[in-house]
Amino acid sequence: SQQGEEDPQALSIQEGENATMNCSYKTSINNLQWYRQNSGRGLVHLILIRSNEREKHSGRLRVTLDTSKKSSSLLITASRAADTASYFCAAITYKYIFGTGTRLKVLA
Amino acid sequence: EAGVTQFPSHSVIEKGQTVTLRCDPISGHDNLYWYRRVMGKEIKFLLHFVKESKQDESGMPNNRFLAERTGGTYSTLKVQPAELEDSGVYFCASSQVQANSPLHFGNGTRLTVT
């Protein structure tokens, strides 16, 4: 089966709250990437974290990686309505393996 | 720079017909990938080109699917004959030659087989 399984499958929060999404994978990776997909559009790369890194920040995004647990989390702080989208992690070995995604809805 | 473009954006065909999807990657991107997403499920890898060569086609579901990338530029994915289970959104992505470069996705082709 595919790696990069995200949870929760769906998340609904109020604008201004923080959103946390988790991702698990199954084998050793080179790095892990998070992507966002707006409805009807392609995926857009958000952030990359290498296998030897534990945490990375980019603007309102914070990504953690725990290689011992084979898991990663994406935190979006101070969410906005424009953050409404599906979010996918991609576990990178010699290929990019995506999961089922988390559908985030931010209510204004 | 122009992004990855896919054509058509939507296609509705009957079972047994043939459909050809096209992807134009970002100029200079040697890596080109095809993925498929069936509603609610994972984005599943189909295959990977490096220039005109198939690097990995382990995700191609069966011999009804044929991908080509003549000249190492645009790519086509042909489904012949189409079956109901082929319905889904087909994404193309491209990236630079450096390992683990971020993927740049097109908006996808939504294929419906009736």
Side-chain angles (χ1 to χ4, degrees):
Chain A
S1 61
Q2 297 282 317
Q3 302 193 78
E5 300 297 328
E6 297 88 347
D7 85 275
Q9 290 188 336
L11 180 61
S12 186
I13 60 174
Q14 294 291 324
E15 202 167 32
E17 293 181 337
N18 296 341
T20 300
M21 289 158 271
N22 302 297
C23 164
S24 61
Y25 56 92
K26 294 179 179 162
T27 64
S28 296
I29 58 172
N30 297 330
N31 62 65
L32 187 138
Q33 300 177 13
W34 283 91
Y35 289 77
R36 181 187 72 218
Q37 183 195 19
N38 290 92
S39 180
R41 306 299 296 272
L43 280 71
V44 175
H45 179 259
L46 293 176
I47 192 167
L48 176 156
I49 185 165
R50 300 187 189 283
S51 60
N52 61 355
E53 296 177 311
R54 292 297 168 257
E55 187 171 312
K56 197 158 184 183
H57 297 254
S58 177
R60 293 184 297 112
L61 304 180
R62 173 177 169 254
V63 170
T64 63
L65 179 64
D66 187 335
T67 53
S68 67
K69 295 181 179 178
K70 292 186 169 56
S71 67
S72 174
S73 67
L74 172 67
L75 168 68
I76 303 174
T77 60
S79 63
R80 305 166 181 168
D83 295 329
T84 294
S86 290
Y87 291 81
F88 296 86
C89 69
I92 317 300
T93 56
Y94 60 93
K95 58 172 70 172
Y96 297 68
I97 305 297
F98 291 86
T100 55
T102 292
R103 295 189 312 278
L104 173 66
K105 187 170 186 178
V106 181
L107 304 171
Chain B
E1 65 180 4
V4 176
T5 57
Q6 292 186 244
F7 183 84
S9 58
H10 294 81
S11 180
V12 180
I13 61 172
E14 293 183 352
K15 176 181 174 181
Q17 290 186 322
T18 297
V19 63
T20 300
L21 314 181
R22 172 169 170 146
C23 169
D24 287 76
I26 292 173
S27 178
H29 281 192
D30 288 344
N31 290 312
L32 187 148
Y33 302 82
W34 284 99
Y35 286 86
R36 175 174 72 180
R37 190 178 193 206
V38 175
M39 186 180 295
K41 297 192 176 179
E42 76 270 23
I43 297 175
K44 188 176 179 185
F45 169 82
L46 296 179
L47 88 159
H48 170 206
F49 283 100
V50 177
K51 295 185 179 180
E52 66 275 10
S53 299
K54 291 177 184 175
Q55 182 77 12
D56 181 352
E57 53 183 331
S58 61
M60 295 288 266
N62 52 59
N63 60 9
R64 295 186 294 103
F65 288 73
L66 176 64
E68 294 180 324
R69 192 183 183 194
T70 306
T73 55
Y74 71 92
S75 174
T76 58
L77 180 63
K78 179 190 286 189
V79 185
Q80 180 182 31
E83 298 289 344
L84 298 179
E85 64 264 27
D86 300 333
S87 296
V89 181
Y90 289 77
F91 289 104
C92 173
S94 70
S95 73
Q96 295 179 330
V97 67
Q98 291 88 349
N100 307 150
S101 295
L103 300 185
H104 297 259
F105 279 80
N107 288 335
T109 293
R110 181 174 295 278
L111 174 64
T112 302
V113 183
T114 62

